[in-house]
Amino acid sequence: MTSISKTSLSERVYIGIFGKTNSGKSTLLNYLTGQDAAIVSPIEGTTTDPIRKAMEITDFGPVVFIDTAGTADETQLGKERYEKTLAEIDKVDVFLYVLSSGDDLEIIPKFKDKPVIYMAMKVDTGEGSQILKAFAGKNPIGVDLASTKSRDEIFSKIKALYKKEDLTITKNLVKKGDMVVLVMPQDAAAPKDRLIKPQVMTIREIIDKGASAICTDLSNFETTIKSLNKIDLIITDSQAFKEVYEKKPSDVKLTSFSVLFSAFKGDLEYFVESAKVLDGDIKNIIIAEACSHPPVDEDIGSVKIPKLIKRTHPDINIDFARGNDPIAYEKYDLIIACGSCMFNRTHVLSRVAKAKEAGIPMTNYGIAIAKLNGILEKISLPDEK
C-alpha cells in the first residue's frame, strides 16, 4: 500500500493560516507541524510567498498547511504579498485565522461559506488574554505553545468542521472483476521514465477495486484488444479519443482520463453543458492548464486542441493560462481547463463557481475533444450521484 505520507498535495485537505502581520501565523505553523517550517521574526513581512507543509492528522488523513503573508502589510512589497495571500483563498478547505489586537477581520468575507477556526496566540501574555476577551463571540482557541493540548483542540475542531468526500475517479464505470484497457500515448511533455499523474492514480484505483488494468499505447491498441476475451471499459488519453473510438469493439464502453477527472475534480454536468457552445458562433476562448511546463510541438493544450477548434472556428482568438495565472472570466465565450490533476478539488470548483457567476461556460480537455470529434454523446460518463 502506498504510504499516506506520499499523498500528493492536490489530494490533501488544504488548511490555510491567515491573519494580520505579526499575529503569530508562522509560529502557529511550526507549532502544528512540530517543525521549524517557517521563519519566525518580529520583523513585519517576514513571510513573503506562501509556505506549504504537508503532514498527516491522526484519524483524519493527509493535509497541507499553508502559511500566508499577513494582511495589513505596510512594507514596500505589502500589496504584492497581499495579492498572493488572496490567491490562496480559492484553494483552502479550512481556514485558521490568527486574531490580533484591533483586528477588523476585513478578509473574512472573502472566505465565503468555508469553515473558519479563530485562534489567539500569546495566551501566556496579557495580549493573548485581551484577544480572547475581545473576540469571545468567535469562540477562539487560545494557543499554549508549551503544551500539545491546544494542538489537539485545533485538530479536533478541524475534524468536526470538515467532512471529507469519499470520491473515486472511475466511480460506477469500474467494479470488481472488470477488465479495463488503458490507452496511454506518451507525448514529448510526459516525464521520462514515468507515467503522468492521472494515469498512475487511475491504475491504482482500478487495482484497489479488484479489477484488472491492461496498459498499452495507440500503436498496440488493436493487438491488445484482440488478445483479450473480455473488455469492460477502455480509458484513453483524450488526444487519442477519435482513433480509439473508431477501432474499439462497438459494445465496449469508452471514456478518457480527462473525462474522469472532470467529475473527480470539477463539475461534470456543467462541463458537458458548456461544451455545447462549440457548436455556435464564439469569438474568444481561454485554455487553462494547471501544469506550468513549457509547451512543446505536440502539446495537447497549446497545439492539438486549438487545431481542432480552428477546423470549425478558423478566426477564433485563443488565449492561454498556465498554473495559477488569473483568468479574466468575462472576456471569454468559453474556458477549457485541463484535467487539473495538479489542483485540489476546492481550487477547481472555485474556478467553476467564478465562471458560473460570470455566466461563462467552462469545460475541460476531455469533454471538449469528445465534442469536437462528434463523439461526446457516444462515450461513457461517470455517474456523479
Side-chain angles (χ1 to χ4, degrees):
M1 178 177 289
T2 302
S3 170
I4 200 164
S5 65
K6 295 182 179 179
T7 303
S8 66
L9 292 183
S10 60
E11 284 16 278
R12 293 174 178 264
V13 175
Y14 275 44
I15 303 173
I17 302 175
F18 288 72
K20 301 290 186 182
T21 55
N22 289 346
S23 58
K25 299 182 300 301
S26 296
T27 299
L28 178 63
L29 175 66
N30 293 343
Y31 172 70
L32 292 174
T33 61
Q35 301 178 31
D36 290 332
I39 297 173
V40 175
S41 166
I43 298 173
E44 184 176 313
T46 298
T47 300
T48 54
D49 293 328
I51 296 171
R52 287 169 171 74
K53 181 62 181 177
M55 65 173 287
E56 180 187 354
I57 296 177
T58 304
D59 297 327
F60 182 75
V63 303
V64 57
F65 286 100
I66 308 173
D67 179 21
T68 62
T71 60
D73 187 341
E74 301 298 331
T75 64
Q76 187 175 359
L77 295 176
K79 181 179 179 181
E80 289 80 358
R81 291 169 177 163
Y82 183 61
E83 290 300 321
K84 287 199 171 186
T85 292
L86 293 180
E88 294 300 308
I89 290 175
D90 287 346
K91 308 166 190 174
V92 173
D93 298 297
V94 179
F95 292 89
L96 306 184
Y97 190 85
V98 183
L99 296 160
S100 53
S101 298
D103 200 328
D104 59 7
L105 307 180
E106 58 88 22
I107 199 174
I108 299 297
K110 298 181 186 299
F111 300 166
K112 298 187 177 178
D113 57 351
K114 297 179 186 178
V116 183
I117 303 171
Y118 294 90
M119 48 204 63
M121 306 298 288
K122 308 171 186 176
V123 293
D124 57 333
T125 70
E127 181 181 354
S129 299
Q130 290 173 7
I131 291 172
L132 286 173
K133 291 179 181 177
F135 295 95
K138 299 294 184 183
N139 297 313
I141 295 174
V143 179
D144 178 4
L145 299 177
S147 161
T148 61
K149 183 179 179 181
S150 301
R151 182 187 302 136
D152 294 339
E153 186 178 354
I154 293 167
F155 289 168
S156 293
K157 201 155 188 178
I158 290 171
K159 295 175 191 177
L161 289 177
Y162 184 78
K163 303 303 179 184
K164 293 191 292 184
E165 297 178 88
D166 186 16
L167 298 172
T168 71
I169 299 168
T170 56
K171 293 184 168 54
N172 62 309
L173 296 181
V174 176
K175 61 183 184 301
K176 185 175 182 180
D178 280 354
M179 175 66 69
V180 184
V181 174
L182 301 102
V183 185
M184 307 187 315
Q186 303 298 304
D187 61 31
K192 184 174 174 56
D193 300 325
R194 291 185 288 127
L195 298 177
I196 61 176
K197 185 179 176 184
Q199 297 167 351
V200 173
M201 291 176 66
T202 305
I203 292 170
R204 176 57 193 262
E205 181 175 294
I206 291 169
I207 294 170
D208 286 346
K209 281 188 170 185
S212 298
I214 303 294
C215 304
T216 185
D217 62 11
L218 190 57
S219 63
N220 291 312
F221 174 61
E222 288 184 278
T223 302
T224 300
I225 59 176
K226 287 177 182 177
S227 69
L228 298 172
N229 295 323
K230 172 192 176 188
I231 304 173
D232 298 288
L233 177 67
I234 298 170
I235 305 173
T236 181
D237 189 290
S238 296
Q239 61 187 301
F241 241 148
K242 187 174 186 293
E243 294 90 338
V244 172
Y245 178 78
E246 291 172 347
K247 295 177 180 178
K248 78 174 186 70
S250 60
D251 60 338
V252 175
K253 295 181 292 185
L254 171 67
T255 192
S256 80
F257 294 100
S258 186
V259 169
L260 294 176
F261 270 72
S262 70
F264 182 59
K265 295 279 189 175
D267 186 331
L268 176 61
E269 183 178 350
Y270 190 65
F271 289 170
V272 171
E273 182 66 24
S274 294
K276 294 178 181 178
V277 304
L278 288 165
D279 290 330
D281 182 21
I282 51 178
K283 305 294 185 184
N284 294 288
I285 286 178
I286 187 167
I287 295 177
E289 184 163 1
C291 299
S292 55
H293 63 74
V296 294
D297 289 343
E298 56 183 280
D299 187 73
I300 186 171
S302 60
V303 178
K304 294 184 177 181
I305 292 178
K307 187 176 180 179
L308 277 173
I309 294 171
K310 289 191 175 185
R311 290 189 314 191
T312 53
H313 300 78
D315 299 323
I316 198 165
N317 173 65
I318 301 177
D319 293 335
F320 300 92
R322 292 187 173 86
N324 289 312
D325 289 350
I327 297 173
Y329 294 85
E330 66 283 352
K331 287 177 55 179
Y332 300 102
D333 302 308
L334 177 65
I335 300 163
I336 304 178
C338 68
S340 301
C341 62
M342 300 306 293
F343 286 169
N344 66 334
R345 178 171 166 82
T346 297
H347 192 178
V348 178
L349 291 177
S350 292
R351 282 191 164 183
V352 172
K354 289 179 180 179
K356 288 181 176 180
E357 185 177 350
I360 306 302
M362 179 176 178
T363 189
N364 87 337
Y365 284 12
I367 301 295
I369 291 173
K371 179 65 177 177
L372 290 164
N373 281 311
I375 60 173
L376 181 55
E377 293 76 20
K378 301 171 184 177
I379 64 171
S380 294
L381 301 176
D383 186 352
E384 292 197 282
K385 296 179 182 179

